[in-house]
Amino acid sequence: MADNIILIGFMGVGKGRTARALAALTGRFAIDTDDLIESMVKMRIRDIFAEQGEAHFRQLEQQCATWLEGQVSHTIVSAGGGFFKVNNLQRLGQVIYLHSDLDSILEAIRSHPNAEQKMKKRPLFQDIARAEALFVERLPQYRQAADLEISVRGRTNADIAAEIVARLRS
Ligand code: S3P
């Protein structure tokens, strides 16, 4: 198994921010699966969904996971919200589920200076009722996929990163 740290969790929970805080704390690099996919196909995630469909995007996530397994180690990986369904997740490294409730996630996005952009870039957040149903469906799946769960609600990125480091050591 590769020795990466893989951050999974719902859209907007703060996987990218936490990955950067973890990188600062540990001296590792941080990369993001959505960014890798966008650079691989030279398209924005929302355009991949609109033009090629979600099923195609899921194939790109699997391609990304296969590449990570073969090529990447000792790295912090923030994963898109559905990436945890790839078939080699456990072989990529330690999997950490970042948990918050949907209301707090929505509140954090809406109060962000770039709120409109943050909502627009996420096709599965366009319909809040659908996002709620997805959250309920995925919660047990995230928990099942993860080696560790960290509650992030109301906490700073540095605090969350420090807890991850402490719990990975123990
Ligand atoms: C998705 C989450 C998004 C992105 C895509 C699909 C999902 O990533 O991968 O829009 O299925 O939950 P973020 O979790 O970074 O928003």
Side-chain angles (χ1 to χ4, degrees), residues 11 15 34 45 49 57-58 61 80-82 122-124 138:
M11 294 174 281
K15 291 161 291 186
D34 282 347
I45 301 294
F49 268 74
F57 175 71
R58 300 303 172 198
E61 288 190 311
R122 296 183 162 105
L124 300 179
R138 281 195 182 159

PDB file of all heavy atoms in Angstrom, residues 11 15 34 45 49 57-58 61 80-82 122-124 138, ligand 1:
ATOM      1  N   MET A  11     -18.838  17.284  -0.626  1.00  0.00           N
ATOM      2  CA  MET A  11     -18.479  18.541  -1.289  1.00  0.00           C
ATOM      3  C   MET A  11     -18.511  19.695  -0.293  1.00  0.00           C
ATOM      4  O   MET A  11     -19.462  19.814   0.485  1.00  0.00           O
ATOM      5  CB  MET A  11     -19.525  18.874  -2.375  1.00  0.00           C
ATOM      6  CG  MET A  11     -19.554  17.925  -3.525  1.00  0.00           C
ATOM      7  SD  MET A  11     -20.934  18.321  -4.663  1.00  0.00           S
ATOM      8  CE  MET A  11     -22.355  17.619  -3.800  1.00  0.00           C
ATOM      9  N   LYS A  15     -11.874  19.661   2.260  1.00  0.00           N
ATOM     10  CA  LYS A  15     -10.786  18.698   2.032  1.00  0.00           C
ATOM     11  C   LYS A  15      -9.537  19.394   1.488  1.00  0.00           C
ATOM     12  O   LYS A  15      -8.422  19.102   1.929  1.00  0.00           O
ATOM     13  CB  LYS A  15     -11.257  17.604   1.055  1.00  0.00           C
ATOM     14  CG  LYS A  15     -12.317  16.683   1.658  1.00  0.00           C
ATOM     15  CD  LYS A  15     -13.079  15.940   0.568  1.00  0.00           C
ATOM     16  CE  LYS A  15     -13.941  16.893  -0.212  1.00  0.00           C
ATOM     17  NZ  LYS A  15     -14.828  16.286  -1.188  1.00  0.00           N
ATOM     18  N   ASP A  34      -9.643  16.384  -8.289  1.00  0.00           N
ATOM     19  CA  ASP A  34     -10.348  17.175  -9.308  1.00  0.00           C
ATOM     20  C   ASP A  34      -9.359  17.971 -10.157  1.00  0.00           C
ATOM     21  O   ASP A  34      -9.507  18.065 -11.372  1.00  0.00           O
ATOM     22  CB  ASP A  34     -11.346  18.140  -8.662  1.00  0.00           C
ATOM     23  CG  ASP A  34     -12.631  17.452  -8.219  1.00  0.00           C
ATOM     24  OD1 ASP A  34     -12.870  16.296  -8.621  1.00  0.00           O
ATOM     25  OD2 ASP A  34     -13.399  18.078  -7.476  1.00  0.00           O
ATOM     26  N   ILE A  45     -14.401  20.545 -14.360  1.00  0.00           N
ATOM     27  CA  ILE A  45     -15.283  19.464 -13.895  1.00  0.00           C
ATOM     28  C   ILE A  45     -16.728  19.693 -14.368  1.00  0.00           C
ATOM     29  O   ILE A  45     -17.388  18.784 -14.863  1.00  0.00           O
ATOM     30  CB  ILE A  45     -15.270  19.361 -12.341  1.00  0.00           C
ATOM     31  CG1 ILE A  45     -13.851  19.105 -11.817  1.00  0.00           C
ATOM     32  CG2 ILE A  45     -16.251  18.295 -11.863  1.00  0.00           C
ATOM     33  CD1 ILE A  45     -13.226  17.798 -12.174  1.00  0.00           C
ATOM     34  N   PHE A  49     -19.051  17.093 -16.689  1.00  0.00           N
ATOM     35  CA  PHE A  49     -20.395  16.623 -16.340  1.00  0.00           C
ATOM     36  C   PHE A  49     -21.394  16.996 -17.435  1.00  0.00           C
ATOM     37  O   PHE A  49     -22.204  16.174 -17.860  1.00  0.00           O
ATOM     38  CB  PHE A  49     -20.864  17.243 -15.004  1.00  0.00           C
ATOM     39  CG  PHE A  49     -20.546  16.419 -13.789  1.00  0.00           C
ATOM     40  CD1 PHE A  49     -19.246  16.333 -13.298  1.00  0.00           C
ATOM     41  CD2 PHE A  49     -21.540  15.725 -13.107  1.00  0.00           C
ATOM     42  CE1 PHE A  49     -18.944  15.576 -12.170  1.00  0.00           C
ATOM     43  CE2 PHE A  49     -21.249  14.964 -11.977  1.00  0.00           C
ATOM     44  CZ  PHE A  49     -19.948  14.891 -11.509  1.00  0.00           C
ATOM     45  N   PHE A  57     -17.146  10.997 -15.964  1.00  0.00           N
ATOM     46  CA  PHE A  57     -16.317  11.601 -14.911  1.00  0.00           C
ATOM     47  C   PHE A  57     -15.857  10.532 -13.917  1.00  0.00           C
ATOM     48  O   PHE A  57     -14.700  10.531 -13.474  1.00  0.00           O
ATOM     49  CB  PHE A  57     -17.107  12.709 -14.190  1.00  0.00           C
ATOM     50  CG  PHE A  57     -16.356  13.296 -13.029  1.00  0.00           C
ATOM     51  CD1 PHE A  57     -15.255  14.111 -13.228  1.00  0.00           C
ATOM     52  CD2 PHE A  57     -16.741  13.006 -11.719  1.00  0.00           C
ATOM     53  CE1 PHE A  57     -14.539  14.638 -12.151  1.00  0.00           C
ATOM     54  CE2 PHE A  57     -16.035  13.519 -10.637  1.00  0.00           C
ATOM     55  CZ  PHE A  57     -14.932  14.336 -10.857  1.00  0.00           C
ATOM     56  N   ARG A  58     -16.754   9.595 -13.585  1.00  0.00           N
ATOM     57  CA  ARG A  58     -16.371   8.537 -12.632  1.00  0.00           C
ATOM     58  C   ARG A  58     -15.257   7.646 -13.210  1.00  0.00           C
ATOM     59  O   ARG A  58     -14.392   7.172 -12.483  1.00  0.00           O
ATOM     60  CB  ARG A  58     -17.586   7.691 -12.238  1.00  0.00           C
ATOM     61  CG  ARG A  58     -18.715   8.473 -11.566  1.00  0.00           C
ATOM     62  CD  ARG A  58     -18.270   9.206 -10.314  1.00  0.00           C
ATOM     63  NE  ARG A  58     -19.315  10.098  -9.795  1.00  0.00           N
ATOM     64  CZ  ARG A  58     -19.085  11.088  -8.944  1.00  0.00           C
ATOM     65  NH1 ARG A  58     -17.870  11.342  -8.496  1.00  0.00           N
ATOM     66  NH2 ARG A  58     -20.074  11.847  -8.532  1.00  0.00           N
ATOM     67  N   GLU A  61     -12.121   9.452 -12.657  1.00  0.00           N
ATOM     68  CA  GLU A  61     -11.674   9.325 -11.265  1.00  0.00           C
ATOM     69  C   GLU A  61     -10.935   8.001 -11.073  1.00  0.00           C
ATOM     70  O   GLU A  61      -9.909   7.939 -10.380  1.00  0.00           O
ATOM     71  CB  GLU A  61     -12.866   9.419 -10.297  1.00  0.00           C
ATOM     72  CG  GLU A  61     -13.422  10.819 -10.189  1.00  0.00           C
ATOM     73  CD  GLU A  61     -14.426  10.980  -9.063  1.00  0.00           C
ATOM     74  OE1 GLU A  61     -15.355  10.158  -8.952  1.00  0.00           O
ATOM     75  OE2 GLU A  61     -14.321  11.925  -8.284  1.00  0.00           O
ATOM     76  N   GLY A  80     -12.171  14.394  -4.667  1.00  0.00           N
ATOM     77  CA  GLY A  80     -13.527  14.846  -4.966  1.00  0.00           C
ATOM     78  C   GLY A  80     -14.519  14.021  -4.142  1.00  0.00           C
ATOM     79  O   GLY A  80     -14.209  12.894  -3.728  1.00  0.00           O
ATOM     80  N   GLY A  81     -15.710  14.579  -3.931  1.00  0.00           N
ATOM     81  CA  GLY A  81     -16.677  13.963  -3.009  1.00  0.00           C
ATOM     82  C   GLY A  81     -17.090  12.541  -3.341  1.00  0.00           C
ATOM     83  O   GLY A  81     -17.519  11.789  -2.459  1.00  0.00           O
ATOM     84  N   GLY A  82     -16.967  12.139  -4.624  1.00  0.00           N
ATOM     85  CA  GLY A  82     -17.379  10.790  -4.996  1.00  0.00           C
ATOM     86  C   GLY A  82     -16.206   9.861  -5.272  1.00  0.00           C
ATOM     87  O   GLY A  82     -16.391   8.684  -5.616  1.00  0.00           O
ATOM     88  N   ARG A 122     -19.760  23.076  -8.812  1.00  0.00           N
ATOM     89  CA  ARG A 122     -20.126  21.734  -8.344  1.00  0.00           C
ATOM     90  C   ARG A 122     -21.499  21.318  -8.889  1.00  0.00           C
ATOM     91  O   ARG A 122     -22.536  21.675  -8.322  1.00  0.00           O
ATOM     92  CB  ARG A 122     -20.145  21.720  -6.815  1.00  0.00           C
ATOM     93  CG  ARG A 122     -18.771  21.977  -6.207  1.00  0.00           C
ATOM     94  CD  ARG A 122     -18.793  21.890  -4.699  1.00  0.00           C
ATOM     95  NE  ARG A 122     -17.464  21.715  -4.170  1.00  0.00           N
ATOM     96  CZ  ARG A 122     -16.753  22.688  -3.564  1.00  0.00           C
ATOM     97  NH1 ARG A 122     -17.257  23.891  -3.427  1.00  0.00           N
ATOM     98  NH2 ARG A 122     -15.554  22.430  -3.092  1.00  0.00           N
ATOM     99  N   PRO A 123     -21.513  20.540  -9.970  1.00  0.00           N
ATOM    100  CA  PRO A 123     -22.784  20.170 -10.610  1.00  0.00           C
ATOM    101  C   PRO A 123     -23.766  19.521  -9.636  1.00  0.00           C
ATOM    102  O   PRO A 123     -24.979  19.740  -9.733  1.00  0.00           O
ATOM    103  CB  PRO A 123     -22.371  19.164 -11.688  1.00  0.00           C
ATOM    104  CG  PRO A 123     -20.921  19.359 -11.894  1.00  0.00           C
ATOM    105  CD  PRO A 123     -20.353  19.939 -10.640  1.00  0.00           C
ATOM    106  N   LEU A 124     -23.257  18.736  -8.676  1.00  0.00           N
ATOM    107  CA  LEU A 124     -24.164  18.003  -7.783  1.00  0.00           C
ATOM    108  C   LEU A 124     -24.677  18.875  -6.635  1.00  0.00           C
ATOM    109  O   LEU A 124     -25.459  18.421  -5.808  1.00  0.00           O
ATOM    110  CB  LEU A 124     -23.472  16.747  -7.233  1.00  0.00           C
ATOM    111  CG  LEU A 124     -23.009  15.756  -8.302  1.00  0.00           C
ATOM    112  CD1 LEU A 124     -22.304  14.558  -7.683  1.00  0.00           C
ATOM    113  CD2 LEU A 124     -24.191  15.278  -9.154  1.00  0.00           C
ATOM    114  N   ARG A 138     -24.562   8.936   1.222  1.00  0.00           N
ATOM    115  CA  ARG A 138     -23.115   8.725   1.287  1.00  0.00           C
ATOM    116  C   ARG A 138     -22.541   8.621   2.694  1.00  0.00           C
ATOM    117  O   ARG A 138     -21.468   8.034   2.865  1.00  0.00           O
ATOM    118  CB  ARG A 138     -22.402   9.859   0.559  1.00  0.00           C
ATOM    119  CG  ARG A 138     -22.437   9.668  -0.950  1.00  0.00           C
ATOM    120  CD  ARG A 138     -21.427  10.592  -1.555  1.00  0.00           C
ATOM    121  NE  ARG A 138     -21.417  10.518  -3.007  1.00  0.00           N
ATOM    122  CZ  ARG A 138     -20.946  11.479  -3.754  1.00  0.00           C
ATOM    123  NH1 ARG A 138     -20.471  12.583  -3.197  1.00  0.00           N
ATOM    124  NH2 ARG A 138     -20.935  11.357  -5.071  1.00  0.00           N
TER     125      ARG A 138
HETATM  126  C1  S3P B   1     -18.370  15.432  -6.548  1.00  0.00           C
HETATM  127  C2  S3P B   1     -17.601  16.316  -5.812  1.00  0.00           C
HETATM  128  C3  S3P B   1     -16.745  17.332  -6.426  1.00  0.00           C
HETATM  129  C4  S3P B   1     -16.337  16.923  -7.849  1.00  0.00           C
HETATM  130  C5  S3P B   1     -17.537  16.566  -8.654  1.00  0.00           C
HETATM  131  C6  S3P B   1     -18.356  15.430  -8.041  1.00  0.00           C
HETATM  132  C7  S3P B   1     -19.189  14.418  -5.842  1.00  0.00           C
HETATM  133  O1  S3P B   1     -15.564  17.527  -5.634  1.00  0.00           O
HETATM  134  O2  S3P B   1     -15.448  15.819  -7.802  1.00  0.00           O
HETATM  135  O3  S3P B   1     -18.313  17.737  -8.787  1.00  0.00           O
HETATM  136  O4  S3P B   1     -19.599  13.424  -6.453  1.00  0.00           O
HETATM  137  O5  S3P B   1     -19.434  14.601  -4.621  1.00  0.00           O
HETATM  138  P1  S3P B   1     -15.562  18.338  -4.226  1.00  0.00           P
HETATM  139  O6  S3P B   1     -15.929  17.341  -3.166  1.00  0.00           O
HETATM  140  O7  S3P B   1     -14.165  18.810  -4.095  1.00  0.00           O
HETATM  141  O8  S3P B   1     -16.547  19.431  -4.352  1.00  0.00           O
END
